[in-house]
Amino acid sequence: MVLQVQTSTYEAKTQEIAKQLLAATQENRSFFSSLRDQMRWDDKLLAWAMSNPGLRVQLFRFIDTLPALHSKSEIASHLQEYLGDESVELPAALKGMLNFANPDSMPGQVAATTVGTAVETLAHKYISGENIKQVIKTVERLRKEKMAFTIDLLGEAVITEAEAQSYLERYLELMQQLVEASKNWSAIPAIDEADGETIPKVQVSVKLTAFYSQFDPLDAKGSEERVSDRIRILLRRAKELGAAVHFDMEQYAYKDITLSILKKLLLEEEFRQRTDIGMTIQAYLRDSEQDTKDLISWLKERGYPLTIRLVKGAYWDQETIKAAQKHWPQPVYNDKAATDVNFETITQLLLENHQYVYSAIGSHNVRSHSRAIAIAESLNVPRRRFELQVLYGMGDKVAKALVDRGYRVRVYCPYGELLPGMAYLIRRLLENTANSSFLRQNLENRPIEELLAPPIVKEEKNSLTPNSSLQTPHSHFLGVADTDYAEEEVRTKAAQAFQSVRQQLGKTYLPLINGEYVNTPEFVDSLNPSNFSEVIGKVGLISVEQAEQAMQAAKAAFPGWRKTPAKQRADILRKAGDLMELRRAELSAWIVLEVGKPVKEADGEVSEAIDFCRYYADEIERLDKGVNYDITGETNRYIYQPRGIAVVISPWNFPLAIACGMTVAALVSGNCTLLKPAETSSVITAKLTEILIEAGFPKGVFQYVPGKGSQVGAYLVNHPDTHVIAFTGSQEVGCRIYAEAATLKPGQKHMKRVIAEMGGKNAIIVDESADLDQAVVGVVQSAFGYSGQKCSAASRVIVLQPIYDAFVQRLVEATKSLNIGEAELPSTQVGPVIDANARDRIREYIEKGKAEAQLALELPAPEQGYFIGPVIFSEVSPNAVISQQEIFGPVLAVIRVKDFQEALTVANGTNYALTGGLYSRTPSHIQQAQVEFEVGNLYINRNITGAIVGRQPFGGFKLSGVGSKAGGPDYLLQFLEPRAVTENIQRQGFAPIEGAD
């Protein structure tokens, strides 16, 4: 029976121990204050960052860029660009240093050297060595100070399978060399043994996700298999060598699957009795207490203890921002005090269960360590089952004081080249300079009572609602949240939806004309592009005569619909959005099966359709208010009225979202609407039809009219009663519609309005200051997501000469690591193309590419569907066919340019202007691109697909299209006619005057 002690007893003891520890760490404090003016530059940079929030942001951005800068003049010019920003108040010393006219000048070179050296010195404070030799030196020094260690390998993000394999090999090599070195180390009882047990001298810390480049909770089974294979190799080798292995915890999205993989693996017969392995809990996560309880229960069942390292957590900013952007519940506590309370709760939980678990309490907060010691001493926790941990360079004085008290202290030592280590360095700097940081408060001479006071939690907002304080201040529209596939029950629901949809395959779907489903003379099979022997459904195609009936029904319904109040129309839209949300998993499954879109992207498309319904409902209510321009004696109203009949011609690549967006925009504006979808995606639009009818659109107001584009489409476009044509598709068809709509037909009494989105030849520029980890991942997603079949997809990447070869090499390796397969498989990142025509056309472009550029990569693809493996061409001329024509497939041209100006010229050198991207950490390049990059949607330092309604309104210009941006504040205006109504309200010289009695 574990001894339970009152918390108040712990508190008195905590205070006593903390005061002793603090006294030991503060002996040099006044000395520190007196030396502040004589500090080295690295200390000065930190001190300035603490006192000036604007400088802190810009300085850390500059440090983040530093590894990509290869000359002193580049460093000098970036220093000026970042720190010369108007928002930054500079200390006099820094201002003086940056006051050079030219980065190549002597003062510029001196500034670059001074700051470059200071950052390197800072990095060496937190990074224990750049190679194994240096690390061994560091750990030997730590051992002399009676401190144990664990080594973490810093490196670039693992985005290729070659890098994942290399990660494993580097750890095997690291363990081998450390164990070899350890043979010459004399035993230190304080850290090498406890309670008669020997403790491994060598310990390494690893990240699970780095063992598989495509690690993804959606593909839980595939990720587990790939990761577990490599982990088994690591654990077997560690056992042979006598080294311990600890598993770090990373981002929240990976937490559940990480714990699940480790629990399963460590119950295997081979590993079940191992006690030299550890796992990590992050106290800033709201569900970490429950995770700890679950782990303890699991360890009881396992029967052999493991280490649990308790830390506060290192990704707070990232987690907070991601949850806010995704409209997901906040996984972390928003108040640091809440994290501190939780940390103490979990510390107690771990130590009270010491017979099942070895506790490793990781913190730099004297109170946190003292709390742990107070509990451990009160419960007589054996020394083997309890240790304290600090990060290298962060808690040196605390660590020494703890060692002096006789506790086992382990120092977490990251090692690796400084260049990839910058991300780690910035996390440490953020932590060190945060207002709430214990280390910072300790340096600032805060009163001891304040430093050691028990944490008190402010009233927290409900974590189950997205944190409203983190939303954009002016953004009134909050979109629906995408599905979070990190949750197991959600993945189960998705699998059930596929089973349910598969039972409905092969049904017949009829057109809806004047409220009735009507039979048709002709039918077409809609096939699964992942497996063309599978019929998704049979779709009835209307004749021209039926198209005329639909047009007459729309004409008859229009007078009633135009008089329906805007609020009523908006509410029907909102109901449609709600119905889609209820059917989200099912609609996603239909999209995956009918058009071959991978699961996550299909889910994002359902979100977009829901957002269009809700956003346009809000918009029509805004526009319906009109504008008053009244003056005394006269009212002037500016109002909108519907145009008449809208014909919507929707594409197959976003069969739900674009069809829905164009249709509901026309409907909510008061127009009667005929939806003619692409033949290859007519089943999904039949599902949209069910939803719109259930939501309450009256008969004749909305009609579903699948048919051949060359016959029915052309007939509706040319019809004299058509007022608006909303089209998304190819440039060729879009231009033909535009020309035909411009011709006045007999009996036509209005000019037709055409809204046409006609594709792009989208480019991403990667300059020499770009973060290549980020750029490679973004380009791969933008080029090969949905097999390059998005209007917004990247088909060109324009790379500056200095980094061209390195970029292409990583791009090729990252693309090679993608999984190509049936769209419904959770592991699939690249599915099929839409049909045989598309496949054959893309193959022709690939042959042209082989004739005019170098083939850098051509991946094989499965045979049973319309598959094309990703293809990358390098050394492509900006004027080559594959650089100029829209291919609409997984084919990417990589173009080399000498400087940024040439990059912009090449980017703008096509007939299109839809989306574009820039990866850069040079402020002047970012600014220049914002002005000169000719695209409707420019994305900086992120992928260029996945525009979100009300956040990134979507659409381009030049030959990419005509009309306002979908999901933006001007879009509905295209479906409305504005009118001005003026009334003279004087009678016999008398008029009401506001404010007069």
Side-chain angles (χ1 to χ4, degrees):
M1 175 69 188
V2 170
L3 180 65
Q4 294 283 344
V5 181
Q6 286 299 308
T7 304
S8 56
T9 318
Y10 291 154
E11 184 55 37
K13 199 158 186 174
T14 300
Q15 291 291 334
E16 182 195 337
I17 295 166
K19 282 173 183 161
Q20 293 166 5
L21 283 175
L22 210 51
T25 63
Q26 288 186 335
E27 280 158 16
N28 302 329
R29 217 162 83 182
S30 54
F31 178 63
F32 174 90
S33 310
S34 67
L35 274 184
R36 182 158 293 192
D37 298 331
Q38 301 156 37
M39 279 190 294
R40 297 182 325 209
W41 270 94
D42 52 305
D43 288 326
K44 281 182 182 171
L45 288 178
L46 266 191
W48 289 332
M50 285 189 208
S51 58
N52 182 331
L55 174 60
R56 180 176 182 246
V57 169
Q58 290 299 88
L59 181 63
F60 291 176
R61 283 181 171 172
F62 167 75
I63 291 173
D64 174 53
T65 314
L66 197 57
L69 309 177
H70 298 298
S71 71
K72 284 185 182 169
S73 47
E74 278 182 73
I75 293 173
S77 69
H78 281 78
L79 252 180
Q80 264 187 340
E81 285 195 38
Y82 277 104
L83 303 187
D85 191 270
E86 285 170 9
S87 67
V88 181
E89 238 182 280
L90 289 181
L94 206 48
K95 198 179 276 182
M97 191 176 74
L98 292 180
N99 191 18
F100 50 84
N102 182 336
D104 291 320
S105 66
M106 183 54 84
Q109 303 285 299
V110 169
T113 307
T114 307
V115 175
T117 309
V119 172
E120 209 166 298
T121 309
L122 262 181
H124 279 300
K125 271 188 179 173
Y126 303 110
I127 295 171
S128 64
E130 290 190 69
N131 53 48
I132 293 180
K133 211 170 161 183
Q134 288 178 9
V135 170
I136 289 171
K137 238 177 159 169
T138 300
V139 300
E140 286 175 349
R141 177 173 57 74
L142 289 172
R143 284 180 61 81
K144 277 195 185 114
E145 293 168 14
K146 296 186 185 165
M147 293 183 203
F149 65 84
T150 185
I151 307 286
D152 165 45
L153 184 55
L154 295 175
E156 294 161 319
V158 171
I159 56 179
T160 75
E161 275 307 273
E163 288 164 358
Q165 184 58 32
S166 158
Y167 184 79
L168 171 63
E169 286 163 7
R170 287 168 69 197
Y171 263 107
L172 296 174
E173 169 72 6
L174 173 66
M175 290 193 304
Q176 169 84 40
Q177 296 219 21
L178 284 168
V179 168
E180 202 53 50
S182 74
K183 289 173 183 169
N184 303 319
W185 299 343
S186 49
I188 298 167
I191 53 176
D192 295 335
E193 57 189 64
D195 309 325
E197 264 185 68
T198 305
I199 299 170
K201 289 178 183 169
V202 171
Q203 188 189 102
V204 295
S205 286
V206 299
K207 291 176 176 51
L208 206 71
T209 59
F211 290 105
Y212 177 41
S213 63
Q214 309 305 309
F215 193 93
D216 183 355
L218 172 61
D219 180 28
K221 191 167 174 290
S223 297
E224 181 187 322
E225 282 168 12
R226 301 295 288 273
V227 163
S228 299
D229 286 346
R230 287 185 169 132
I231 291 175
R232 287 188 191 98
I233 295 169
L234 182 80
L235 292 180
R236 281 172 196 142
R237 185 65 182 135
K239 188 178 184 185
E240 288 166 16
L241 293 166
V245 176
H246 195 97
F247 291 95
D248 282 333
M249 194 56 82
E250 302 170 82
Q251 286 85 350
Y252 183 68
Y254 304 135
K255 172 182 69 75
D256 287 350
I257 181 177
T258 296
L259 291 172
S260 160
I261 289 171
L262 290 174
K263 282 178 180 176
K264 211 176 276 188
L265 190 84
L266 296 174
L267 280 182
E268 289 175 10
E269 206 46 53
E270 181 181 358
F271 304 112
R272 184 168 188 154
Q273 294 182 23
R274 295 275 291 271
T275 57
D276 55 351
I277 296 168
M279 294 150 93
T280 305
I281 290 283
Q282 297 160 311
Y284 69 0
L285 295 179
R286 294 171 187 268
D287 46 15
S288 53
E289 184 185 350
Q290 188 55 51
D291 286 337
T292 308
K293 287 176 178 170
D294 295 345
L295 269 179
I296 291 167
S297 302
W298 171 79
L299 282 166
K300 287 176 183 175
E301 175 203 332
R302 183 176 185 263
Y304 296 90
L306 291 171
T307 299
I308 293 182
R309 175 194 290 153
L310 177 63
V311 296
K312 299 216 170 140
Y315 303 93
W316 188 87
D317 300 70
Q318 205 178 331
E319 298 291 7
T320 309
I321 291 164
K322 182 180 179 178
Q325 288 184 346
K326 295 267 190 190
H327 310 308
W328 287 345
Q330 282 290 338
V332 291
Y333 290 109
N334 299 117
D335 176 19
K336 185 178 179 296
T339 297
D340 289 342
V341 167
N342 194 40
F343 191 91
E344 294 189 5
T345 303
I346 297 173
T347 298
Q348 186 169 334
L349 193 58
L350 291 172
L351 291 168
E352 286 175 351
N353 286 280
H354 59 76
Q355 66 269 58
Y356 311 110
V357 60
Y358 300 151
S359 304
I361 309 300
S363 176
H364 306 111
N365 184 323
V366 168
R367 179 183 165 88
S368 300
H369 281 309
S370 304
R371 184 71 169 187
I373 293 169
I375 299 169
E377 288 185 355
S378 303
L379 298 176
N380 290 319
V381 174
R383 288 294 163 99
R384 171 65 186 97
R385 294 176 174 262
F386 164 60
E387 68 177 39
L388 301 160
Q389 297 195 349
V390 295
L391 288 172
Y392 182 77
M394 289 278 282
D396 302 357
K397 289 180 182 170
V398 179
K400 188 178 181 321
L402 291 167
V403 169
D404 291 345
R405 279 189 72 103
Y407 286 97
R408 184 168 70 254
V409 173
R410 189 175 302 278
V411 182
Y412 184 95
C413 300
Y415 103 92
E417 293 170 36
L418 297 188
L419 199 144
M422 282 302 160
Y424 175 83
L425 173 63
I426 286 168
R427 284 208 302 277
R428 295 292 71 80
L429 294 179
L430 281 169
E431 194 176 327
N432 253 346
T433 57
N435 287 328
S436 54
S437 152
F438 180 89
L439 292 172
R440 172 175 178 169
Q441 290 174 355
N442 192 12
L443 282 180
E444 289 173 345
N445 284 323
R446 297 278 178 93
I448 284 177
E449 293 67 31
E450 188 185 324
L451 280 175
L452 302 181
I456 295 164
V457 184
K458 294 178 210 141
E459 199 58 42
E460 274 234 330
K461 289 195 188 83
N462 180 0
S463 74
L464 299 177
T465 54
N467 187 344
S468 56
S469 66
L470 293 160
Q471 302 300 341
T472 330
H474 304 296
S475 152
H476 65 286
F477 178 74
L478 283 184
V480 69
D482 288 344
T483 300
D484 182 1
Y485 289 105
E487 295 175 20
E488 191 174 0
E489 66 208 65
V490 170
R491 299 196 294 270
T492 308
K493 198 174 169 188
Q496 287 164 349
F498 275 107
Q499 285 174 349
S500 156
V501 165
R502 282 203 166 280
Q503 285 160 7
Q504 302 170 54
L505 296 186
K507 286 186 176 177
T508 298
Y509 297 90
L510 296 174
L512 181 82
I513 294 176
N514 202 19
E516 303 287 332
Y517 286 105
V518 299
N519 238 314
T520 57
E522 198 181 342
F523 288 84
V524 67
D525 286 348
S526 178
L527 307 177
N528 178 355
S530 291
N531 176 6
F532 41 66
S533 62
E534 188 168 61
V535 177
I536 302 301
K538 292 179 182 302
V539 179
L541 301 179
I542 67 167
S543 62
V544 167
E545 292 72 29
Q546 287 172 313
E548 180 57 37
Q549 287 165 21
M551 192 56 88
Q552 292 311 317
K555 270 179 87 170
F558 180 62
W561 183 239
R562 71 175 296 174
K563 287 179 190 155
T564 304
K567 170 84 175 79
Q568 202 175 319
R569 299 196 301 254
D571 284 343
I572 298 175
L573 239 64
R574 291 191 181 101
K575 187 174 180 195
D578 293 346
L579 290 168
M580 283 184 210
E581 192 154 19
L582 287 172
R583 292 176 63 176
R584 173 191 276 281
E586 175 218 340
L587 291 169
S588 290
W590 283 112
I591 294 169
V592 171
L593 293 174
E594 191 177 25
V595 299
K597 186 171 281 193
V599 177
K600 258 190 207 164
E601 301 196 57
D603 177 73
E605 181 172 345
V606 179
S607 293
E608 189 178 2
I610 297 166
D611 284 349
F612 276 136
C613 291
R614 293 173 180 170
Y615 179 77
Y616 292 146
D618 289 355
E619 280 294 292
I620 198 63
E621 288 178 353
R622 175 179 69 85
L623 293 170
D624 187 54
K625 292 173 187 158
V627 185
N628 289 352
Y629 296 116
D630 298 351
I631 59 166
T632 305
E634 182 177 278
T635 60
N636 291 287
R637 308 300 306 280
Y638 187 83
I639 54 174
Y640 297 98
Q641 66 180 30
R643 286 177 178 270
I645 294 171
V647 171
V648 171
I649 301 173
S650 66
W652 52 261
N653 67 331
F654 281 85
L656 180 67
I658 294 181
C660 175
M662 295 193 294
T663 301
V664 299
L667 287 167
V668 83
S669 304
N671 303 286
C672 289
T673 306
L674 287 74
L675 168 60
K676 193 213 83 63
E679 286 172 47
T680 41
S681 60
S682 297
V683 172
I684 293 156
T685 34
K687 297 291 160 192
L688 171 64
T689 298
E690 292 169 11
I691 286 167
L692 295 180
I693 296 308
E694 189 183 340
F697 285 106
K699 71 174 193 174
V701 169
F702 166 72
Q703 299 176 88
Y704 164 62
V705 289
K708 287 208 177 319
S710 53
Q711 295 161 18
V712 169
Y715 181 79
L716 293 173
V717 164
N718 284 291
H719 201 286
D721 290 323
T722 297
H723 291 78
V724 184
I725 300 149
F727 166 81
T728 299
S730 70
Q731 183 194 312
E732 181 195 351
V733 175
C735 290
R736 188 161 68 236
I737 288 172
Y738 203 69
E740 287 171 357
T743 310
L744 208 59
K745 303 297 183 299
Q748 185 180 322
K749 295 177 181 156
H750 56 269
M751 296 304 292
K752 293 175 183 171
R753 184 68 184 263
V754 176
I755 305 153
E757 201 266 89
M758 305 185 294
K761 189 67 189 168
N762 311 307
I764 294 177
I765 295 173
V766 182
D767 80 6
E768 65 272 51
S769 70
D771 177 336
L772 286 196
D773 286 350
Q774 202 184 36
V776 169
V777 170
V779 168
V780 168
Q781 285 172 350
S782 304
F784 304 122
Y786 192 33
S787 302
Q789 299 175 111
K790 299 178 187 178
C791 333
S792 55
S795 56
R796 299 180 295 154
V797 56
I798 300 161
V799 186
L800 269 67
Q801 165 71 36
I803 52 156
Y804 185 89
D805 295 332
F807 176 81
V808 171
Q809 185 187 349
R810 284 197 86 196
L811 175 69
V812 165
E813 283 300 326
T815 307
K816 266 187 201 169
S817 306
L818 296 174
N819 298 318
I820 304 164
E822 293 177 37
E824 73 181 286
L825 297 175
S827 58
T828 294
Q829 286 123 343
V830 181
V833 296
I834 189 67
D835 60 17
N837 289 341
R839 181 194 59 198
D840 298 343
R841 193 192 70 252
I842 295 164
R843 282 179 178 166
E844 284 171 24
Y845 274 111
I846 292 169
E847 289 313 307
K848 283 178 187 158
K850 287 175 181 174
E852 57 185 10
Q854 286 180 23
L855 181 67
L857 179 70
E858 182 173 22
L859 286 180
E863 289 297 316
Q864 81 281 12
Y866 303 119
F867 288 95
I868 289 190
V871 176
I872 299 172
F873 289 104
S874 62
E875 307 300 350
V876 185
S877 153
N879 301 316
V881 171
I882 57 168
S883 298
Q884 289 292 322
Q885 293 182 15
E886 186 176 42
I887 299 170
F888 228 62
V891 181
L892 181 64
V894 191
I895 301 166
R896 186 193 294 260
V897 291
K898 63 179 186 301
D899 57 33
F900 191 67
Q901 192 53 58
E902 187 189 352
L904 279 173
T905 305
V906 169
N908 292 336
T910 73
N911 295 334
Y912 296 96
L914 187 52
T915 64
L918 168 65
Y919 282 92
S920 171
R921 289 179 288 192
T922 301
S924 56
H925 286 178
I926 292 171
Q927 216 172 346
Q928 190 180 352
Q930 287 173 358
V931 177
E932 295 178 21
F933 202 150
E934 294 173 3
V935 287
N937 286 61
L938 175 62
Y939 298 94
I940 297 163
N941 291 324
R942 54 151 285 177
N943 62 331
I944 67 169
T945 60
I948 292 172
V949 174
R951 200 187 291 177
Q952 295 115 5
F954 186 77
F957 50 97
K958 285 167 62 173
L959 288 182
S960 282
V962 57
S964 289
K965 287 169 160 296
D970 314 319
Y971 192 71
L972 291 191
L973 297 176
Q974 304 168 114
F975 298 90
L976 296 163
E977 298 278 15
R979 296 177 59 213
V981 178
T982 297
E983 181 188 355
N984 170 15
I985 53 171
Q986 289 187 83
R987 293 285 191 278
Q988 307 297 335
F990 156 77
I993 298 174
E994 215 169 301
D997 292 335

